[in-house]
Each structure stands twice: as C-alpha cells, then as structure tokens.
Amino acid sequence: MKYSVRGGPCYNLFIQTTVKVNNRRAMKMKKIWLWRALACAGAMTLLAGCGAKTGETPETAAQTQAGQTGQSEAGTTKEGGAGELTGKLVIMTNASGGTFEAMNEVFARFMEENPGVEIEYSSQGKDYEQLMKAKMAANDLPDLFATHGWSVNRYSEYLRPLNDQEWYGDLVEEILPVMSDSEGQIYALPMNVDKSGIVYNADLLEKLGKEVPKTWDEFLDACEEAKNQGYTPVYLAGKDPGKLAGVINTVSPTYLITDEADNYRTQLKDGSFDWANYAPVFRLITTLRDSGYLNKDYQTADPITIPQKLAGGEVLFALENNATMADAYALKADAGLAMMPVPTASPEDEPVLLGGEREAYGVWKDGPNQELALELLRFMAEKENIEKVSTASGMPASMKGATGNLGVVNESYEKYADSRVFPKFDREYLPNGMWSTMKTVGSALIAGDVDVDKACQMMGEDYIKFREQNNE
C-alpha cells in the first residue's frame, strides 16, 4: 500500500523515507494493515524525521526501516514457474509531489502483477545529489535511480546502455539529442520531457491590465503593479537551496546564451568566460528582493507551499517548472494558471522555453538485479504508465502515441509550440558539480550574506575548480 502525508510539518522528511508496497500482505489483510501502516508511517516520520538522531541521513533512515521490517537488502532475480519474476529492487529519486506519487503507483502496479517482486522506492529530496555522489564514489548504487537531467554527463559510466531495449524506438525525437552521448547511446528511460518556462496566474495578470512579459523589464513592471495592488509578485521557497539554484538556472540563459547576436556560448564551453559578465543574472535576483517583490518569508518558505499559494490566487509569478502548475491545479481546478516562456534581457531577443531530461531512470550496470530492473523499465515504458507520469508532472509524454492529460497546461504548450527551446543552463554550459555551487551562492545572495560581485567570484572559482576536476 502507498503511504502519503501531505501538508504536514514533517512532509519533506517523510517523503525521504522508504515507501514500500507489499501486495501479498495487503491483499490478505487490507483494512487491518492500512491503519497499522499509517500509524507506523506517522510514528516513523516523527522518529526518523522530526526527531532524527544526530547525523542520521535519509539513506540510513531508509535502511533502518528496512531492517525493522525484517526484509533483506539483497535483491535477486529468479525464474519460477511460468516465468514468474521474483526479487527485490531498490530505487531512488529526487522527485516529489504528484510525480513521486505517480511513480509510486506505477511500481505498486508492477508488484501487484508480479507478487514475487518487492520494490523499495524512496525520494531523498534536496539531499539526492550529495547522496548519489557518495554512492558513485563507493560504486554502491541503487538498482535503478533517477538521473534528474544528468544521465549522460554525470551518470553514464555507472549505467547500462539501453538502446537495445524494445521501447527505445518509441521515444519521441525531441528527447534523443538531450539524452544521447556522442555515440548515440542513451542510459535512462525518460518518463516525460522537460519543457518549461515560468508559471504565472493568467487571471491575475489580466486583472492587473498587463500582457505576458517578453523581457525582464516588462516582468519587473508587472511585479510592481502586483505589489501595488496587494499581491505577491514572485513566490520563492528558499528553505530548499535548490529553489535558488533553479532561479539562477532559469534566468542565466536569457542573459548569456539565447541572444543570437550577443552571447557567451563559446566562452562558457572553452573555459574563457569572464565571470564579471554573470552580474546581470544576480542583479535581477537582488532586484526582486530589494524591491519587495518576493513573499516576506522567502528565505524560510517550504517548497510544498508553492502549489498552495499559486492555487490560492495570491501569487503572480513562480519561477518553477510545470509540475508545480499541475500540483496547483490538483488543489484547485479553476486556479487560472498558465505557463509563459522565460523573458529575455534584450528586447531584440525572443522569449524561450527550457528543456531536457526530467523524470528518467537508469539501471546500475554493476547491480546484481539488472534483468529484473530491465523488466521493470519495460513495464514503465508502457503507454499507460508514461501517460500517468506525464499527467502528474504537467510535462509532455516521452513516448510516441502517449498523451498525458495535461488539461489547461497543454493549452500553454500549444500556445508556445513554436518557441525556441534551450537546454537547461547548468547541464549544457557548466561543469559537473556546479549545481551545489548555485545552491550555496543563491542562498547567500538572497540572504544578503554576499553581494553581486562576490557571488560572481564564487561562481568563477568553482567553475575553474570543477573544470579541472572533470578534466574539461
């Protein structure tokens, strides 16, 4: 059975613990175990989350839970009667909200159809990147894991190539350049296609008498009007440093990459970029803060509140991907939200969408359960499952013939179908490791601990360091 706790103070901690489904026990004692499981989940949330022992990580919490249930950490794949699948798979992701729940439902259905299989599925949230780095260093990875945009540049040496899988030929063409290496190999099954802009309240923007902004100057003008009329112009959930990194990642291309007549693509690729030229990106962020365009609790707001605020009609803009919009519509069907392309720095440039790999899963090439993992990938690639994740994430489906029920979200995709699409900035132009830098710098900048010049210096120092480490 699936356990889900929404909106409570320990939600983020809970979602990092292991989510398990044991269909055989559930089918026998469904009602009894439902209440016991929920009680147990609540207790473990408080013990392993809110009152966790010092130094305990989400990973150790997951291992502790597995130990308490008396279930083995080892997984095997065996052939039983009539080709029955058996064994255990450990799967990790950084997904949250509707996407996490949709994947959980997919795994639950696989276990229902294959009673001999156990899946341990967990989200490590904001700790995912550091956890995976540690696991790569130890060559001790989960059987399957989410590649969160880095299946080629970060994880490919640890993953089994997947071009030989039957579903490969059904992938939509637009995802192949993003997820293929120089030899055309892919290393993960994408469940959706990341193509996002900025989420905004279309009803509120119309009420303010403003058009969809095409430049950052127009964006700031709309923010000023929203502030004057008592609304929150931009909602930022700074409790998670990844949200600050996400803002930097969204803004950066339009100042540095997208203008065909004036850009730094070559310099960022060859290492000659002068990081003083990054200052306009950080100045936009400090302008939002200093002009009072952010929610008052921008440093401490929890990401789980973003869909709630958008659905409540209190917020004009959120520099978030479309999964946030889908979550908001799940709370309020007439939320009046839409997606717009990212504004540009120059009025001569055209707004853009940012795209790439999103919820995708690869198979650890040295894992003991590869055959079972490949069977699960085959199941995940089925149309019904792709559409489920597409719908939950608010992003287009990754397979030909599959169409997510995106509702009003799809209206935005259709409206901006001809918009230019650029890769996520850090995945294309920054060396591996810079996401952590962006989290640190973004948090320090928004808190006022560093100024724009210092933020540029910090980015430049780590850019050089990580290029050297990655032998670029």
Side-chain angles (χ1 to χ4, degrees):
M1 63 191 66
K2 179 185 66 172
Y3 313 131
S4 176
V5 179
R6 275 189 171 275
C10 299
Y11 175 67
N12 277 353
L13 292 171
F14 173 79
I15 203 170
Q16 292 171 358
T17 62
T18 301
V19 177
K20 295 188 176 183
V21 182
N22 191 320
N23 291 284
R24 288 173 291 179
R25 286 200 299 267
M27 291 173 68
K28 292 179 180 179
M29 303 182 67
K30 184 175 181 181
K31 293 184 179 179
I32 295 174
W33 282 107
L34 174 62
W35 294 109
R36 289 182 181 177
L38 289 174
C40 178
M44 290 201 65
T45 301
L46 293 173
L47 293 173
C50 300
K53 296 179 181 178
T54 302
E56 186 176 66
T57 66
E59 173 67 3
T60 58
Q63 292 174 350
T64 299
Q65 185 177 0
Q68 288 173 342
T69 58
Q71 292 163 341
S72 170
E73 287 298 308
T76 59
T77 305
K78 301 178 181 178
E79 288 294 323
E84 178 185 357
L85 295 174
T86 64
K88 176 180 178 179
L89 293 172
V90 176
I91 307 174
M92 290 185 181
T93 183
N94 63 330
S96 61
T99 302
F100 176 83
E101 293 178 2
M103 289 304 309
N104 192 45
E105 291 173 9
V106 171
F107 297 143
R109 194 162 70 87
F110 184 77
M111 284 187 285
E112 183 178 352
E113 294 183 10
N114 300 278
V117 175
E118 178 189 354
I119 292 177
E120 183 179 291
Y121 177 51
S122 65
S123 175
Q124 307 301 318
K126 62 184 178 63
D127 298 317
Y128 187 72
E129 184 178 17
Q130 292 303 317
L131 175 62
M132 296 310 292
K133 285 182 179 179
K135 286 187 166 294
M136 284 190 291
N139 196 33
D140 181 21
L141 290 152
D143 297 298
L144 297 97
F145 57 92
T147 53
H148 60 110
W150 293 94
S151 62
V152 174
N153 292 338
R154 181 176 300 173
Y155 296 120
S156 59
E157 66 178 289
Y158 301 94
L159 294 171
R160 183 195 186 282
L162 298 171
N163 293 50
D164 61 346
Q165 298 301 293
E166 60 184 24
W167 47 260
Y168 171 77
D170 293 326
L171 291 172
V172 296
E173 297 297 329
E174 62 189 285
I175 197 63
L176 292 177
V178 176
M179 296 189 66
S180 301
D181 66 10
S182 59
E183 297 180 353
Q185 291 285 347
I186 69 165
Y187 298 88
L189 165 67
M191 300 298 293
N192 53 15
V193 177
D194 189 351
K195 190 161 64 173
S196 301
I198 292 176
V199 177
Y200 74 106
N201 189 316
D203 291 346
L204 178 55
L205 190 66
E206 182 178 0
K207 180 179 179 181
L208 296 173
K210 298 293 183 180
E211 299 290 331
V212 173
K214 294 184 177 181
T215 67
W216 287 115
D217 284 343
E218 293 176 0
F219 180 89
L220 294 175
D221 182 62
C223 287
E224 180 67 18
E225 187 64 27
K227 175 187 172 184
N228 291 340
Q229 295 198 31
Y231 297 98
T232 299
V234 179
Y235 194 82
L236 178 63
K239 182 179 179 179
D240 179 359
K243 293 300 180 182
L244 277 305
V247 171
I248 296 172
N249 222 27
T250 298
V251 174
S252 295
T254 59
Y255 280 99
L256 305 172
I257 302 302
T258 63
D259 191 341
E260 295 295 337
D262 184 18
N263 63 72
Y264 298 97
R265 298 171 192 168
T266 301
Q267 295 92 324
L268 282 162
K269 286 290 186 72
D270 67 19
S272 64
F273 180 66
D274 181 355
W275 281 86
N277 293 316
Y278 208 84
V281 175
F282 290 140
R283 276 199 292 269
L284 176 65
I285 295 172
T286 56
T287 296
L288 294 176
R289 178 197 64 195
D290 297 341
S291 300
Y293 295 158
L294 301 176
N295 44 301
K296 293 181 180 179
D297 60 344
Y298 61 87
Q299 285 185 262
T300 59
D302 194 300
I304 64 173
T305 63
I306 300 174
Q308 300 168 11
K309 297 297 183 180
L310 286 168
E314 308 168 40
V315 175
L316 180 56
F317 298 115
L319 277 68
E320 295 284 332
N321 63 47
N322 297 338
T324 300
M325 180 163 51
D327 288 343
Y329 270 113
L331 297 174
K332 186 179 179 183
D334 60 346
L337 306 177
M339 176 198 73
M340 55 176 264
V342 182
T344 57
S346 168
E348 283 75 39
D349 200 6
E350 289 293 327
V352 299
L353 295 177
L354 305 177
E357 164 192 341
R358 191 64 184 181
E359 193 68 7
Y361 290 82
V363 175
W364 180 29
K365 70 179 181 63
D366 296 328
N369 306 308
Q370 292 182 49
E371 291 306 313
L372 180 58
L374 292 174
E375 282 296 317
L376 176 58
L377 282 190
R378 181 199 59 74
F379 177 81
M380 291 162 61
E382 292 180 0
K383 178 181 178 181
E384 176 184 349
N385 297 322
I386 294 294
E387 291 182 340
K388 179 185 290 292
V389 177
S390 169
T391 299
S393 64
M395 295 180 182
S398 60
M399 291 288 177
K400 298 171 185 175
T403 305
N405 182 16
L406 304 184
V408 292
V409 179
N410 198 52
E411 294 177 12
S412 295
Y413 281 123
E414 292 176 354
K415 182 176 182 180
Y416 298 110
D418 295 331
S419 295
R420 297 177 300 160
V421 180
F422 281 79
K424 298 289 185 178
F425 180 73
D426 66 316
R427 301 175 193 173
E428 182 73 13
Y429 294 101
L430 299 182
N432 184 7
M434 286 290 286
W435 183 258
S436 295
T437 302
M438 293 162 71
K439 292 196 295 185
T440 300
V441 172
S443 294
L445 182 70
I446 204 71
D449 296 334
V450 300
D451 60 14
V452 168
D453 291 340
K454 180 62 176 177
C456 291
Q457 179 186 338
M458 293 169 68
M459 289 283 287
E461 290 173 351
D462 277 10
Y463 173 79
I464 295 172
K465 177 181 72 175
F466 287 123
R467 281 184 63 87
E468 292 175 349
Q469 289 181 5
N470 298 327
N471 296 317
E472 295 183 11

